[in-house]
Amino acid sequence: MSNVRAVINFLDEYPELAKYEDQLNWRTKEFLVELRSGKSLVEIGRKFNLNGPTVSQIVSEVPYRLYLLKKQESDIENNPDDIGTLDLSFRSTNALRKAGINSLSELLTKTTRDLLRIKNLGRNSLNDIHAALAEKGFVLSDF
């Protein structure tokens, strides 16, 4: 229970992190709702059909995940070339980053065909990328 109290105290101490909660995955958001309602880890585990150590791990990661989201936003603000400035879906941005494409300039060196070869980047993501680039006045090469 001290783990739960520590997380709640952390969130109370840093209220500016609350604006990042909507970017957490659905399970983590649900855990936060349950924690704030006063439920124990055992009760939360039962609701999500998880064992105690798994619930405890997810709960303990909440502050770190919120911190990473805040840091990512700060990094994007300080680097206008970052692909995060394109306002792509989390999935598309993650796929690009895992493929080593972290900046707008790196993205613009790729062709449509190159992007389609990236794992977890399909036609819908590609359409989003084209639209986001078009908003900034850029177009991907098809060759």
Short mmCIF file of all heavy atoms in Angstrom, two decimals, residues 22-32 48:
data_model
loop_
_atom_site.label_atom_id
_atom_site.label_comp_id
_atom_site.label_asym_id
_atom_site.label_seq_id
_atom_site.Cartn_x
_atom_site.Cartn_y
_atom_site.Cartn_z
N ASP A 22 -3.74 11.96 -20.16
CA ASP A 22 -4.55 11.48 -21.28
C ASP A 22 -3.70 10.82 -22.37
O ASP A 22 -4.22 10.15 -23.25
CB ASP A 22 -5.40 12.59 -21.86
CG ASP A 22 -4.59 13.70 -22.50
OD1 ASP A 22 -3.46 13.95 -22.04
OD2 ASP A 22 -5.09 14.32 -23.46
N GLN A 23 -2.38 10.97 -22.29
CA GLN A 23 -1.49 10.34 -23.26
C GLN A 23 -1.03 8.95 -22.82
O GLN A 23 -0.37 8.26 -23.57
CB GLN A 23 -0.27 11.23 -23.51
CG GLN A 23 -0.63 12.56 -24.13
CD GLN A 23 0.59 13.44 -24.31
OE1 GLN A 23 1.62 13.00 -24.78
NE2 GLN A 23 0.46 14.69 -23.91
N LEU A 24 -1.38 8.57 -21.60
CA LEU A 24 -1.03 7.24 -21.11
C LEU A 24 -1.90 6.19 -21.78
O LEU A 24 -2.99 6.49 -22.26
CB LEU A 24 -1.22 7.17 -19.60
CG LEU A 24 -0.32 8.05 -18.75
CD1 LEU A 24 -0.80 8.05 -17.31
CD2 LEU A 24 1.13 7.59 -18.84
N ASN A 25 -1.45 4.94 -21.79
CA ASN A 25 -2.29 3.91 -22.38
C ASN A 25 -3.52 3.70 -21.51
O ASN A 25 -3.58 4.09 -20.36
CB ASN A 25 -1.52 2.60 -22.62
CG ASN A 25 -1.07 1.93 -21.35
OD1 ASN A 25 -1.80 1.87 -20.36
ND2 ASN A 25 0.13 1.42 -21.35
N TRP A 26 -4.54 3.07 -22.09
CA TRP A 26 -5.84 2.96 -21.42
C TRP A 26 -5.73 2.26 -20.07
O TRP A 26 -6.39 2.64 -19.12
CB TRP A 26 -6.85 2.25 -22.31
CG TRP A 26 -6.56 0.79 -22.53
CD1 TRP A 26 -5.81 0.24 -23.51
CD2 TRP A 26 -6.99 -0.29 -21.70
NE1 TRP A 26 -5.73 -1.11 -23.35
CE2 TRP A 26 -6.45 -1.48 -22.25
CE3 TRP A 26 -7.77 -0.39 -20.55
CZ2 TRP A 26 -6.67 -2.73 -21.69
CZ3 TRP A 26 -7.98 -1.64 -20.00
CH2 TRP A 26 -7.43 -2.79 -20.57
N ARG A 27 -4.90 1.22 -19.97
CA ARG A 27 -4.83 0.47 -18.71
C ARG A 27 -4.23 1.34 -17.60
O ARG A 27 -4.74 1.36 -16.49
CB ARG A 27 -3.98 -0.79 -18.88
CG ARG A 27 -3.98 -1.62 -17.60
CD ARG A 27 -3.07 -2.79 -17.64
NE ARG A 27 -3.43 -3.71 -18.70
CZ ARG A 27 -2.82 -4.86 -18.88
NH1 ARG A 27 -1.84 -5.23 -18.11
NH2 ARG A 27 -3.17 -5.66 -19.87
N THR A 28 -3.19 2.07 -17.93
CA THR A 28 -2.56 2.93 -16.93
C THR A 28 -3.52 4.02 -16.48
O THR A 28 -3.60 4.34 -15.30
CB THR A 28 -1.26 3.54 -17.50
OG1 THR A 28 -0.43 2.49 -17.99
CG2 THR A 28 -0.51 4.30 -16.43
N LYS A 29 -4.29 4.57 -17.43
CA LYS A 29 -5.29 5.58 -17.06
C LYS A 29 -6.33 4.99 -16.12
O LYS A 29 -6.70 5.62 -15.13
CB LYS A 29 -5.97 6.13 -18.31
CG LYS A 29 -5.14 7.12 -19.07
CD LYS A 29 -5.98 7.84 -20.11
CE LYS A 29 -5.79 7.18 -21.43
NZ LYS A 29 -6.42 7.88 -22.54
N GLU A 30 -6.79 3.78 -16.43
CA GLU A 30 -7.77 3.12 -15.57
C GLU A 30 -7.19 2.86 -14.18
O GLU A 30 -7.89 2.99 -13.18
CB GLU A 30 -8.24 1.81 -16.20
CG GLU A 30 -9.16 2.00 -17.38
CD GLU A 30 -10.48 2.61 -16.98
OE1 GLU A 30 -11.06 2.21 -15.95
OE2 GLU A 30 -10.94 3.51 -17.70
N PHE A 31 -5.92 2.48 -14.12
CA PHE A 31 -5.27 2.25 -12.83
C PHE A 31 -5.29 3.53 -12.00
O PHE A 31 -5.56 3.49 -10.81
CB PHE A 31 -3.82 1.79 -13.03
CG PHE A 31 -3.67 0.32 -13.22
CD1 PHE A 31 -4.52 -0.40 -14.05
CD2 PHE A 31 -2.67 -0.37 -12.58
CE1 PHE A 31 -4.38 -1.75 -14.25
CE2 PHE A 31 -2.52 -1.74 -12.76
CZ PHE A 31 -3.37 -2.42 -13.60
N LEU A 32 -4.98 4.65 -12.65
CA LEU A 32 -4.98 5.93 -11.92
C LEU A 32 -6.36 6.25 -11.37
O LEU A 32 -6.48 6.72 -10.24
CB LEU A 32 -4.51 7.06 -12.84
CG LEU A 32 -3.01 7.16 -13.04
CD1 LEU A 32 -2.70 8.24 -14.08
CD2 LEU A 32 -2.31 7.46 -11.74
N PHE A 48 -8.71 -6.12 -13.14
CA PHE A 48 -8.02 -6.27 -14.41
C PHE A 48 -7.48 -7.69 -14.62
O PHE A 48 -6.78 -7.94 -15.59
CB PHE A 48 -6.88 -5.26 -14.52
CG PHE A 48 -7.37 -3.85 -14.61
CD1 PHE A 48 -7.43 -3.05 -13.49
CD2 PHE A 48 -7.79 -3.32 -15.82
CE1 PHE A 48 -7.88 -1.74 -13.56
CE2 PHE A 48 -8.24 -2.03 -15.91
CZ PHE A 48 -8.29 -1.23 -14.78
#
